Amino acid sequence: MADIIDTVLQWIKDFFTWLFQYIWAQILEALAAVINAIPVPDFFYQAQSAFSSLSGNVLFFAQKFAFGEGVAMILAAYAIRFLIRRIPIIG
């Protein structure tokens, strides 16, 4: 009898663990779909044309110093900071 109760309790624990993971995965997929639905602003396309007019020497050093990746990280950090400050409890 104790084995049956132990098996049932283990099944219930496994079920709720699976359920929580399933719900969390669905929430993250929905969040990813919402973020992918946000359109790219027009000034990003304008920035691309502005960088294409730079000389070869500037582009060489910008590439060596990973300027593009650095700017992307800084902009992402500012966006995350903006979003975190909008949370009422934290901001």
Side-chain angles (χ1 to χ4, degrees):
M1 184 69 173
D3 292 338
I4 295 173
I5 293 173
D6 188 40
T7 304
V8 170
L9 290 176
Q10 183 64 34
W11 183 86
I12 292 172
K13 178 185 165 232
D14 291 342
F15 174 75
F16 282 112
T17 302
W18 172 83
L19 183 65
F20 175 74
Q21 290 174 348
Y22 177 77
I23 292 172
W24 184 249
Q26 294 302 317
I27 289 171
L28 290 180
E29 287 180 17
L31 182 63
V34 167
I35 290 173
N36 284 333
I38 297 173
V40 176
D42 292 333
F43 64 86
F44 280 120
Y45 297 117
Q46 295 170 355
Q48 180 182 4
S49 64
F51 282 120
S52 66
S53 65
L54 294 175
S55 69
N57 293 334
V58 173
L59 291 177
F60 173 77
F61 286 107
Q63 184 180 10
K64 293 298 179 190
F65 290 123
F67 181 76
E69 290 86 356
V71 169
M73 284 187 246
I74 290 171
L75 291 176
Y78 276 126
I80 291 171
R81 185 182 116 194
F82 174 79
L83 292 174
I84 287 176
R85 287 181 162 245
R86 300 294 162 237
I87 299 172
I89 297 171
I90 298 173

